Amino acid sequence: MATTTAPQLTAKTYKSEVHNDWCPGCGDFGIVIALQMALAKLQITPHNVAVVSGIGCSGKTPHYMGTYGFHTLHGRVLPSVTGLKLANHRLTVIGVGGDGDGYGIGVGHFVSGGRRNLDFTYLVFNNDVYALTKGQASPTIEKGKKTKSMADSSIVEAINPVALALASGYTFIARGYALEVKYLANLIAQAIQHRGSALVDIFQTCPTYNDLHSKSWYEGKDSGQPRLYKLDESDYDPVVHDPNDRAEVAQKKAQALLKSEEPSGRLPLGVFYQLEVPTYEDCLREKGVLGHEPQARLGAVFQRDIQPLLDRLA
Amino acid sequence: MSAPTFSWMIGGPQGSGINLGAEILARVMSRLGYYVFGNIEYHSNIKGKHSYYRLRAADRPVHSHIEEVHLLTALDEETLIGDLYHEFPGHRGHVEQVAPGGGILLEPDRVEGVRRRLDGRDVHLYVIPYGEAVHQALSLAGKGGQAHEYRIMNNTAAIGASAALLGVPFDPLAEVILSGFHGKARRVGETNVHCARFAYEYAQKEFKDLRFKLPPKPRRARDDKQIMLKGTQAVAIAKLKAGCGLQTYYPISPATDESVYLEGQQSQYNLVVLQTEDEVSAIDAAVMAAHGGVRASTSTSGPGFALMPEGLGFSAITEAPGPVVVNYQRGGPSTGLPTRHEQGDLRFALHAGQGDIPRIVIAPGDLSECFYDTFDSFNYADRYQVPVILLLDKHLAAMYATVPRFDTSGLKIDRGELFDPAQRDGRYYRYRFTESGISPRALPGQAGGIFWTTTDEHDQVGHITEGIGNRLTMMRKRMGKLELVEKEIPDEKKFALYGSPQAPIRVVSWGSTKGAILDALGRLDPEGKRYAFLQIRFLQPFPAKQLQALLRGAQKIVCLESNYSAQLAGVLREKTDIRADHKVLKYDGQPFSEDEVVAALEATEAGAGEEVLVSEGKVVSAATYGPEQVDKLVELKEKSGKMAPPMVPLPPGYNR
Ligand SMILES: Cc1ncc(C[n+]2csc(CCOP(=O)(O)OP(=O)(O)O)c2C)c(N)n1
């Protein structure tokens, strides 16, 4: 009997035919390509993937993907991801959105999303500005700074996404750079493979509005030293090896926090923190609420017998 | 003598278990063959504030409360004489509501104040030291001397004494009490039965002359088919029956009970109940779950619904099959009256959200309709791919009444048009233009069904476009689905006419007012010739043509609803050009009683103005009644002397 091997899925398989209307040179291109490469690397069938976005330039991502795509509401990536995942926990669900979307208007959902440890991947396109509304300050712009698009400099502290994610309970926290596509693809693949809530905060260049954090700034052209470096090129170990060891968990969180606030001003890329604990789905399964089959395929729910409930009311 | 309709009330500080006690007695009454209607009034407070529970029992179905009380059972002083410890007291207690020949069960130290207030009226005072019954019951359990700690059991004593006064046999009472305790808790149940028995026997021995009795009835014709439940339970059970796969919620009165009930059923029925961080998340997660292929729902009240308009738009423009959104209205605006009744969100439910949103809005009027309308809503959501809003309210949520057991034999699941990979011709478009306006939907995870969707305007594939031709077509596609709803859903689901179509006076209303109106008309016009009642269940799409026909030839049209601005009357005028002659309104936070509807309708016949306001059982002047009541209560307080605020007992075993 002749055996046929399934055709290899390539990054191109995950591309849609839609014309892309991002600005030329936008960092978002790098992120989409990295996402497509990550899915190809993991060979996940496109119809088992759903990309769920908020509103913003980044929000358009699902349209450029050849997977199920949901372009939802500003700030509501994680509620949307949560609803979809609970309907069908077999789907690979990837949330994408801007820093305004996730750390600004959606920050409450960001915190709660982390606490549940539902199995999803969340990519935040972090460009320090609200791009689609033409470059106002976003929650990640540094205090005292002013991009060319801002009318005046910011007088509020920036959010530290890694610290916020640590406090919220994300079990995989990483940072990538939109213009290092292969490295980013690898991080995204790890995030998808991680069982639990995974955040990849991605430095994204916005050539139109953010003249401060440009490609040459990240490369350190001004200071003579690259600003970015990789945690995995040092002996930094992000993984909690014994999840029951509270001291280890605390220590790993502390080192991730220190890395996210490096006084030298250098910016690490890579995995900051990783912890393997039961997911929200696992907990639901343990309670007998969730079965093996996705909720959406449970025909039995339409045959429910409510007579015992009515008997109790008789 | 047995009253044709009997009314009992228990009042006490919140946390004293009056609801448990009242529901036990309600079930006993039901077992004796009576039709029962109960409702509770309570504060937004955990412990201490005045709450009371009314029960009405009759040998015909009853759907509302009456003002009179035949037996008042007081667990505290406030129930009797009011909250006179406040700078501005809020109520005068319930002593004045007790009918001539009726009685009051109360503890010895309250007698003097009550006598003063009764001022010689023909009301029996049944003085009973509840603590004594509690003490005796605890002694049997080896816990004598702790009666003060177990004051929570006073309500059991009160129920026992009430049952004796009403001539109710003890056995059914014991059975119902015990049915609430399982496993290890059985011993606690037995102690409660002992407590009830001591009070029962005490009352049998000491109290004689209550005129109102509840002797066991010959079995009701439909006895075995009656159940007793609340609106939140009717909705929850309907959701289970409809195959709901995800319920989301954020806690809020008076909606939470529904979700908590469902939480208890999660593993039994494979239902996921998700407690979200807010109502924004609750509705958005439900929208996406609906897209994901499960039937999804969320339940809330006004403040939560106020966070949901974006989700309604999200559902509408992406043509999600749902969710079903249940809004249990409460007194607004803003936080308003968190635990009180109002029908103030009609306009909001009809219009919430930017742009034109196709939505179905349904207001069930009683517990049965809560069940059937909820079940149907999921079919509508799937079939028309729109959000469905169920407008309930605090009154429906918390009323506890006998209803015919739900008949599930005719209930069918309709999942609407689904994408079938086998029958695919060409590329699959999620938003394909079709004649009906409905496009078959694929479920994420399905091979060949990949689709895109966006809250931006989009083309048939689901990609963003601002093309003019597409925009015009898409708007008609979405909004046109409401015309389909109008055509396909039968009229009997949309409205109902009670009484003669030729009746000169037509009362028009919506939602939970139904019960009080039916009871009132039964009293005013038993033949159903003078009055007809038109109940509107579908508020969107509004059955305008049918209502025009039904209201034609009326001598007088009276709209009746629980809000300030006569919202239904406004919608009726807008959609049918029919102007109500009278608007009967109530917005004091309490549902209409039978008496209030009677009083209001009598007033409209006696030449009342266009607007008729009712409160506290009567027609009142909108301009002066409120301020007068505030002044009167202050005066009453000054006359009554100092009153101690309620003392809330610490829970048993609490380390002091
Ligand atoms: C509720 C709401 N408020 C405001 C907007 C307007 N708006 C559209 S995109 C956007 C900001 C986008 O910034 P970000 O999330 O950082 O994404 P980016 O465009 O930078 O990718 C805003 C405020 C909206 N769509 N919805």
Side-chain angles (χ1 to χ4, degrees):
Chain A
M1 207 170 79
T3 55
T4 51
T5 44
Q8 274 292 114
L9 301 168
T10 67
K12 261 184 117 169
T13 325
Y14 302 91
K15 239 170 113 353
S16 78
E17 291 149 20
V18 175
H19 168 74
N20 191 315
D21 67 1
W22 284 327
C23 302
C26 178
D28 289 355
F29 285 102
I31 304 176
V32 174
I33 294 168
L35 175 56
Q36 290 160 348
M37 286 167 61
L39 291 168
K41 180 173 177 186
L42 302 175
Q43 293 286 296
I44 305 175
T45 323
H47 68 246
N48 285 329
V49 178
V51 179
V52 179
S53 69
I55 295 292
C57 297
S58 46
K60 296 183 179 175
T61 304
H63 297 284
Y64 308 138
M65 297 290 298
T67 63
Y68 280 94
F70 296 88
H71 181 190
T72 73
L73 295 164
H74 192 37
R76 313 306 176 211
V77 173
L78 293 183
S80 298
V81 159
T82 304
L84 183 61
K85 189 76 191 181
L86 289 175
N88 187 341
H89 62 266
R90 295 267 198 82
L91 291 173
T92 297
V93 179
I94 293 156
V96 299
D99 47 322
D101 197 285
Y103 307 143
I105 188 168
V107 73
H109 309 308
F110 182 87
V111 172
S112 302
R115 279 180 62 210
R116 288 193 195 100
N117 199 32
L118 197 73
D119 186 11
F120 62 73
T121 300
Y122 183 26
L123 312 179
V124 177
F125 299 27
N126 184 351
N127 57 13
D128 314 309
V129 288
Y130 285 100
L132 192 59
T133 46
K134 304 205 184 307
Q136 300 78 15
S138 93
T140 51
I141 191 95
E142 244 178 287
K143 186 170 179 177
K145 292 286 163 64
K146 170 182 165 330
T147 62
K148 66 178 172 186
S149 57
M150 289 162 60
D152 205 342
S153 57
S154 163
I155 52 168
V156 287
E157 285 294 342
I159 264 182
N160 175 344
V162 172
L164 189 63
L166 282 168
S168 309
Y170 286 80
T171 50
F172 180 99
I173 302 167
R175 185 190 283 142
Y177 176 45
L179 304 186
E180 278 204 49
V181 177
K182 266 198 203 138
Y183 185 75
L184 177 60
N186 194 34
L187 281 180
I188 295 175
Q190 285 182 62
I192 293 173
Q193 279 181 302
H194 172 75
R195 294 185 78 253
S197 295
L199 169 74
V200 186
D201 179 71
I202 302 166
F203 288 145
Q204 175 231 322
T205 49
C206 174
T208 305
Y209 296 120
N210 189 342
D211 53 330
L212 298 177
H213 298 165
S214 60
K215 178 166 183 286
S216 70
W217 182 84
Y218 280 114
E219 286 168 358
K221 293 268 162 68
D222 54 334
S223 60
Q225 194 201 26
R227 288 205 160 73
L228 302 172
Y229 73 98
K230 299 188 176 104
L231 288 170
D232 36 324
E233 286 171 0
S234 67
D235 58 3
Y236 183 88
D237 177 10
V239 180
V240 175
H241 295 280
D242 179 1
N244 298 318
D245 180 350
R246 296 185 61 151
E248 191 197 354
V249 172
Q251 187 263 323
K252 290 282 155 72
K253 282 187 173 170
Q255 70 167 16
L257 182 64
L258 287 172
K259 278 292 171 197
S260 73
E261 301 259 9
E262 225 168 273
S264 69
R266 294 198 68 206
L267 303 167
L269 300 179
V271 181
F272 282 72
Y273 178 77
Q274 187 170 6
L275 169 72
E276 193 74 50
V277 284
T279 62
Y280 190 75
E281 298 92 309
D282 290 335
C283 299
L284 285 176
R285 232 174 263 126
E286 195 168 309
K287 283 181 195 259
V289 175
L290 212 59
H292 180 66
E293 278 296 305
Q295 287 292 95
R297 300 215 194 106
L298 286 180
V301 296
F302 297 112
Q303 262 85 55
R304 284 177 183 152
D305 179 11
I306 58 163
Q307 298 309 326
L309 299 177
L310 298 182
D311 289 343
R312 262 177 251 162
L313 302 168
Chain B
M1 179 184 127
S2 78
T5 172
F6 171 80
S7 162
W8 175 87
M9 181 189 282
I10 185 168
Q14 217 128 282
S16 62
I18 63 151
N19 49 334
L20 292 175
E23 284 164 21
I24 287 170
L25 194 60
R27 288 170 61 199
V28 172
M29 289 172 174
S30 170
R31 285 189 184 198
L32 295 180
Y34 289 90
Y35 293 90
V36 185
F37 177 89
N39 60 354
I40 186 170
E41 287 296 339
Y42 61 102
H43 278 84
S44 177
N45 154 267
I46 304 299
K47 290 202 173 178
K49 287 215 150 187
H50 174 56
S51 58
Y52 62 98
Y53 206 125
R54 283 172 291 220
L55 292 181
R56 182 181 183 189
D59 36 23
R60 59 185 159 80
V62 275
H63 318 98
S64 61
H65 66 280
I66 50 175
E67 300 293 331
E68 258 186 1
V69 176
H70 300 115
L71 179 59
L72 172 64
T73 307
L75 293 182
D76 66 355
E77 190 175 18
E78 182 174 339
T79 297
L80 299 160
I81 62 167
D83 57 345
L84 304 180
Y85 48 88
H86 281 300
E87 180 172 7
F88 288 103
H91 72 105
R92 50 173 53 242
H94 303 279
V95 160
E96 279 91 3
Q97 274 170 266
V98 180
I104 301 175
L105 265 168
L106 75 178
E107 291 177 279
D109 50 342
R110 325 266 194 235
V111 173
E112 203 186 313
V114 171
R115 281 243 159 79
R116 230 180 298 136
R117 280 276 288 277
L118 279 172
D119 202 18
R121 288 178 50 227
D122 167 29
V123 169
H124 303 288
L125 296 191
Y126 301 117
V127 182
I128 178 165
Y130 297 127
E132 188 50 34
V134 175
H135 168 73
Q136 293 202 35
L138 287 171
S139 301
L140 288 181
K143 286 187 184 163
Q146 296 179 35
H148 190 74
E149 281 192 48
Y150 281 84
R151 270 166 58 187
I152 186 77
M153 271 169 62
N154 281 7
N155 78 81
T156 310
I159 300 303
S162 293
L165 270 165
L166 299 174
V168 167
F170 188 75
D171 286 352
L173 177 60
E175 270 170 39
V176 174
I177 292 175
L178 279 178
S179 70
F181 297 91
H182 307 280
K184 279 198 190 132
R186 187 87 185 166
R187 305 245 321 258
V188 182
E190 278 157 11
T191 301
N192 273 280
V193 171
H194 291 310
C195 175
R197 188 189 304 278
F198 285 119
Y200 187 92
E201 286 168 357
Y202 181 91
Q204 267 190 328
K205 200 159 65 170
E206 304 287 330
F207 311 147
K208 291 274 172 312
D209 35 11
L210 186 68
R211 205 186 291 164
F212 306 97
K213 298 280 179 210
L214 283 181
K217 287 266 148 196
R219 291 179 68 79
R220 264 183 315 235
R222 295 173 303 176
D223 192 22
D224 52 340
K225 295 212 187 103
Q226 293 284 318
I227 53 175
M228 269 206 99
L229 81 175
K230 302 177 189 179
T232 49
Q233 291 171 323
V235 170
I237 294 172
K239 286 183 178 183
L240 290 171
K241 184 64 196 161
C244 178
L246 177 72
Q247 161 95 351
T248 64
Y249 81 106
Y250 184 84
I252 188 165
S253 292
T256 313
D257 287 353
E258 183 207 310
S259 295
V260 170
Y261 180 92
L262 287 171
E263 265 170 352
Q265 309 300 331
Q266 282 189 100
S267 49
Q268 194 64 34
Y269 286 99
N270 280 118
L271 164 79
V272 178
V273 179
L274 174 72
Q275 184 183 334
T276 56
E277 56 276 18
D278 54 35
E279 289 86 349
V280 170
S281 186
I283 189 166
D284 293 341
V287 170
M288 282 296 280
H291 274 302
V294 303
R295 291 189 148 187
S297 184
T298 186
S299 289
T300 187
S301 183
F305 190 69
L307 297 188
M308 292 188 174
E310 70 160 34
L312 296 174
F314 178 18
S315 162
I317 198 165
T318 60
E319 301 196 51
V324 172
V325 179
V326 187
N327 177 9
Y328 293 91
Q329 301 163 90
R330 67 188 214 188
S334 194
T335 310
L337 298 170
T339 58
R340 308 286 177 186
H341 169 71
E342 196 164 278
Q343 297 177 296
D345 298 350
L346 173 55
R347 282 292 191 183
F348 186 35
L350 292 176
H351 303 296
Q354 69 271 31
D356 286 305
I357 293 179
R359 78 189 83 202
I360 297 176
V361 181
I362 308 173
D366 59 30
L367 295 173
S368 297
E369 289 170 5
C370 284
F371 178 81
Y372 296 108
D373 286 346
T374 302
F375 180 89
D376 289 341
S377 293
F378 287 90
N379 283 347
Y380 303 152
D382 271 349
R383 189 167 169 78
Y384 304 106
Q385 300 181 18
V386 293
V388 181
I389 300 168
L390 282 165
L391 269 183
L392 278 73
D393 52 40
K394 141 78 197 339
H395 188 41
L396 279 170
M399 68 168 64
Y400 184 56
T402 41
V403 289
R405 189 175 172 122
F406 304 134
D407 177 10
T408 57
S409 59
L411 300 180
K412 287 205 183 61
I413 305 276
D414 175 4
R415 299 235 54 198
E417 292 192 46
L418 294 168
F419 160 69
D420 178 359
Q423 292 189 346
R424 182 151 63 108
D425 49 352
R427 244 187 98 188
Y428 171 65
Y429 291 161
R430 173 66 181 81
Y431 300 99
R432 190 181 285 280
F433 296 145
T434 61
E435 210 169 305
S436 66
I438 292 163
S439 321
R441 60 194 166 91
L443 308 184
Q446 244 180 337
I450 285 180
F451 67 78
W452 294 267
T453 189
T454 167
T455 54
D456 284 77
E457 187 59 278
H458 44 264
D459 59 21
Q460 298 181 68
V461 192
H463 291 311
I464 301 173
T465 176
E466 295 175 11
I468 285 170
N470 180 82
R471 168 69 175 174
L472 294 176
T473 318
M474 277 297 175
M475 285 298 284
R476 281 188 64 86
K477 173 185 188 328
R478 286 190 295 267
M479 296 306 289
K481 293 189 286 189
L482 291 182
E483 286 162 32
L484 213 57
V485 172
E486 286 182 337
K487 259 203 301 235
E488 293 183 348
I489 298 179
D491 279 351
E492 72 251 26
K493 306 247 186 205
K494 296 182 181 153
F495 55 86
L497 184 82
Y498 299 84
S500 158
Q502 273 78 48
I505 306 174
R506 319 264 161 94
V507 180
V508 183
S509 192
W510 64 288
S512 68
T513 53
K514 178 182 179 182
I517 294 172
L518 287 180
D519 286 350
L521 295 191
R523 193 162 119 197
L524 276 176
D525 180 29
E527 310 272 85
K529 289 203 176 128
R530 183 155 178 72
Y531 284 96
F533 165 41
L534 184 52
Q535 179 207 357
I536 306 177
R537 246 157 108 186
F538 259 61
L539 279 323
Q540 173 74 1
F542 196 75
K545 285 213 183 71
Q546 299 95 312
L547 297 184
Q548 272 171 336
L550 285 169
L551 291 173
R552 200 166 293 140
Q555 269 174 30
K556 201 189 284 191
I557 293 170
V558 182
C559 264
L560 186 148
E561 50 194 311
S562 297
N563 58 54
Y564 182 90
S565 54
Q567 298 184 17
L568 178 70
V571 174
L572 186 71
R573 180 96 199 261
E574 173 194 322
K575 304 275 186 180
T576 65
D577 215 12
I578 292 171
R579 190 190 170 110
D581 300 285
H582 293 281
K583 297 160 187 159
V584 176
L585 304 172
K586 179 164 162 77
Y587 47 85
D588 58 8
Q590 315 230 342
F592 280 95
S593 66
E594 174 185 310
D595 307 281
E596 285 171 330
V597 178
V598 168
L601 293 179
E602 282 174 348
T604 62
E605 296 216 56
E610 182 182 347
E611 195 173 301
V612 179
L613 180 68
V614 297
S615 186
E616 300 194 296
K618 53 194 179 289
V619 173
V620 300
S621 151
T624 57
Y625 187 71
E628 277 168 19
Q629 295 315 301
V630 171
D631 291 347
K632 274 190 188 162
L633 279 168
V634 172
E635 212 177 284
L636 184 66
K637 163 187 148 147
E638 278 159 8
K639 262 203 333 232
S640 308
K642 237 198 167 112
M643 176 183 173
M647 285 274 295
V648 185
L650 285 164
Y654 195 84
N655 194 359
R656 259 157 281 197

